[in-house]
Amino acid sequence: MEKLPSEIKDKIIKSQQGELNEYHIYRNLAKFNKNQEHSKILLHIADEEMSHYNFFKSLTGQELIPNRFRVSFYTILARLFGLNFILKLMEKGEDLAQKSYDGIRKVAPAIDGIIQDENRHERELITLIKEERLKYVSSIVLGLNDALVEISGALVGFSLALQKSQIVGIVGLITGIAGSLSMGSSSYLSAKEESSEKIPIKSALYTGIAYLGTIILLVLPYFLLQHIFLCLIFTIFTALFLIFFFNYYVSVAKGLKFKDRFLEMAGISLAVAVINFLIGIIMRKVFGIEV
């Protein structure tokens, strides 16, 4: 075979490395997946990734080793956030990889077969998307969103009215615990009324735990720091981080648009915070609150 142009060879080696990494990632995913059918599909896809690696190896003549950090990173992400999330994330990477195949096609027309394999992977992976956490994602959204809007806004108001960090933290935590119980109960009754696959008690737990977990993160600065406005800044940034993180997770796992969801949720939370900021000032002035 004639010598490859350096630019094309670099693209092929990059693709070869990607296929090798994904071979090991898919095999790791298959190992800890409890669903045997899912494991079979993952192993089958892993074998195809290895055949793609060997194809690229025949072009470059180089033997590569897997990127252990990348393989471990994706495996850990799968354990933390679920199979669905990591598969969707990997498919995004494959979409980018396919764009680089155009240059390789000039020296290896057989690349079209690999592209067809990658497209089939996406269809096969869709059949894996039946995780419980996604079935209850609306319950998690309910708890998270309500906690962010209600309690972050309330903490802003409490901070301006009371101006004592630990008192604000205690009031916020008590309010949050009551809110989590209320939201869990509402989620239970809602799931019971709906004709869906959701189990009411699980729906309640997902909503309540999401609400309470969010509350704990939001009030934590008030127990660790003394300066009330520093606590307020940390709380607002925590709220924005949670909004960013959760919307990114949902957008990847369910194939939704991230930007619009993030801006909408962040806008609502900040608007409520500003309103409560003004209410806190008014309450402090009107009632002459001194703590």
Side-chain angles (χ1 to χ4, degrees), residues 226-245:
Q226 294 296 322
H227 196 288
I228 192 68
F229 291 105
L230 191 59
C231 295
L232 193 54
I233 291 170
F234 270 99
T235 294
I236 291 172
F237 274 105
T238 299
L240 290 174
F241 172 77
L242 289 172
I243 292 169
F244 175 89
F245 173 79

Side-chain angles (χ1 to χ4, degrees), residues 260-280:
D260 293 343
R261 289 175 57 86
F262 170 73
L263 291 177
E264 181 182 36
M265 197 168 173
I268 292 172
S269 294
L270 290 175
V272 171
V274 170
I275 292 170
N276 278 280
F277 179 88
L278 298 175
I279 292 173

Side-chain angles (χ1 to χ4, degrees), residues 155-174:
L155 287 172
V156 172
F158 293 153
S159 297
L160 269 295
L162 303 177
Q163 295 195 7
K164 294 288 184 179
S165 60
Q166 285 195 346
I167 293 176
V168 172
I170 292 169
V171 173
L173 187 59
I174 292 171

Side-chain angles (χ1 to χ4, degrees), residues 35 59 66 77 81 102 111 141 170 173 184 202 235 242 273 275 284 289:
N35 187 306
L59 299 177
L77 281 183
F81 303 117
D102 290 338
I111 192 70
V141 169
I170 292 169
L173 187 59
K202 282 191 174 183
T235 294
L242 289 172
I275 292 170
R284 188 173 179 84
I289 298 173

Side-chain angles (χ1 to χ4, degrees), residues 195-263:
S195 56
S196 64
E197 297 179 357
K198 291 183 183 179
I199 300 172
I201 189 65
K202 282 191 174 183
S203 182
L205 286 172
Y206 274 104
T207 300
I209 291 172
Y211 193 106
L212 185 59
T214 304
I215 296 307
I216 291 172
L217 291 174
L218 291 176
V219 303
L220 191 59
Y222 290 91
F223 292 101
L224 299 178
L225 305 171
Q226 294 296 322
H227 196 288
I228 192 68
F229 291 105
L230 191 59
C231 295
L232 193 54
I233 291 170
F234 270 99
T235 294
I236 291 172
F237 274 105
T238 299
L240 290 174
F241 172 77
L242 289 172
I243 292 169
F244 175 89
F245 173 79
F246 188 73
N247 277 284
Y248 179 74
Y249 170 81
V250 174
S251 66
V252 171
K254 302 195 77 172
L256 302 174
K257 289 184 178 180
F258 166 74
K259 184 179 178 181
D260 293 343
R261 289 175 57 86
F262 170 73
L263 291 177

